[in-house]
C-alpha cells in the first residue's frame, strides 16, 4: 500500500504540488487525471523519488520512504513507465526490456522476460527488432513491459494513451486492468476519463498542483471539465 499524506513538492524554488494526499493498494488501478501542467508527471516523479518532497509523508508497504532515493524505491518495488515512453530506439526490444531490470539485485532471469511476453506476446514476436521500428502502440507496450522487468508491486504509468489510435488504446487499457487483476497497484495518468473507464477502480483529479477530487471515476468528469475550462 502506498500512502501520500499532505505531500508538497516542486523544482528548485518553484512549488508545483501542494498538500497532496493519495492512497493506492495492491490490485487497485487508480486514474490520475488533470489538465496540462496540473502536476501529474511531477507527482509520479515524486512517488518514484526523482523529485524530492518539501513537506508531507510518503509511506510504502508500512515503511516511511519520504526521503528514499529513486534507486532504492525501484528495489522496494516501485517503477515508472514515463511520459513519452523514452524507449531506447536503437536498441532491440529485448535489450530495452533488460534495461528495465537494471537496479534490481541479482541477474535477470528468463522468467522476468517471460512475464512481459505473457502480457505482451507482440513483444516476443518482435524480440530482436529495433525498438524504433515498432508502432506507437507497440512502443507503449515495450515501455510498460520494461517497467515490469524490475518486478514491481506498484507501477506508475504516465500518459497511457497519448498519440495512440483508439483500437490500440483499448488493448492497452485491458492490459492495465490485467496488471491490477494480477495484484499490482497501478497509478495511470491520462488526459481523458473515458480512456480509463474500463480499467480504473477510482480516480483522482489534480489541478494546478492541488488534488481537487478523489472518488469514483464517474464524478471525475465534471471536476476535470471544470479544471480544463477554468
Ligand atoms: N523539470 C522541471 N523544472 C521546472 N519546472 C518543471 C519541470 N517539469 C515540470 N515543471 C513545471 O511543473 C508544472 C507541472 O508539470 P507536470 O509536467 O508535472 O504537469 P502534467 O500534469 O504532467 O502536464 P502534462 O499533461 O502536460 O503532461 C508545470 O508548471 C511545469 O512547467
Ligand atoms: Mg505529464
Amino acid at each position: 500500500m502506498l500512502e501520500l499524506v499532505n505531500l508538497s513538492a516542486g523544482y528548485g524554488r518553484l512549488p508545483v504540488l501542494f498538500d497532496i494526499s493519495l492512497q493506492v493498494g495492491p490490485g487497485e488501478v487508480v486514474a490520475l487525471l488533470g489538465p496540462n501542467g496540473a502536476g501529474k508527471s511531477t507527482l509520479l516523479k515524486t512517488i518514484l523519488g526523482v523529485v524530492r518532497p518539501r513537506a508531507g509523508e510518503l509511506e510504502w508497504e508500512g515503511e516511511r520512504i519520504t526521503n528514499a532515493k529513486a534507486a532504492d524505491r525501484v528495489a522496494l518495488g516501485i517503477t515508472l513507465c514515463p511520459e513519452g515512453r523514452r524507449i531506447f530506439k536503437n536498441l532491440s526490444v529485448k535489450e530495452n526490456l533488460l534495461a528495465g531490470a537494471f537496479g534490481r539485485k541479482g541477474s535477470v532471469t528468463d522468467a522476468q522476460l517471460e512475464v512481459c511476453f505473457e502480457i505482451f506476446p507482440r513483444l516476443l514476436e518482435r524480440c530482436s527488432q529495433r525498438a524504433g521500428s515498432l508502432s506507437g502502440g507497440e512502443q507503449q507496450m515495450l515501455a510498460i513491459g520494461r517497467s515490469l522487468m524490475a518486478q514491481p508491486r506498484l507501477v506508475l504509468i504516465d500518459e497511457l494513451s497519448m498519440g495512440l489510435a483508439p483500437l490500440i488504446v483499448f488493448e492497452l487499457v485491458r492490459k492495465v486492468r490485467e496488471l491490477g487483476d494480477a495484484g499490482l497497484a497501478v497509478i495511470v495518468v491520462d488526459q481523458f476519463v473515458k480512456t480509463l473507464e474500463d480499467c480504473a477502480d477510482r480516480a483522482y483529479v489534480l489541478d494546478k498542483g492541488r488534488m481537487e477530487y478523489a472518488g469514483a471515476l464517474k464524478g471525475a468528469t465534471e471536476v476535470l471539465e471544470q479544471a480544463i475550462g477554468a
Side-chain angles (χ1 to χ4, degrees), residues 11 14 16 35-42 45 83 159 191:
Y11 301 95
L14 179 77
V16 173
N36 288 123
K40 304 179 297 293
S41 298
T42 304
K45 286 191 254 177
E83 188 173 357
E159 301 288 358
Q191 301 275 345

Side-chain angles (χ1 to χ4, degrees), residues 29 81-85 120 136-137 140-141 144 157-164 168-177 179 186-191 195-196 199:
V29 177
C81 174
E83 188 173 357
R85 291 150 211 160
F120 300 113
Q140 185 64 299
M141 289 178 189
I144 297 171
I157 304 176
D158 204 349
E159 301 288 358
L160 180 71
S161 73
M162 194 162 57
L164 301 177
I168 192 77
V169 171
F170 180 73
E171 192 179 336
L172 286 167
V173 162
R174 266 197 357 239
K175 301 295 180 181
V176 170
R177 186 61 256 171
L179 297 180
V186 182
I187 301 178
V188 55
V189 166
D190 209 271
Q191 301 275 345
T195 308
L196 303 177
C199 74

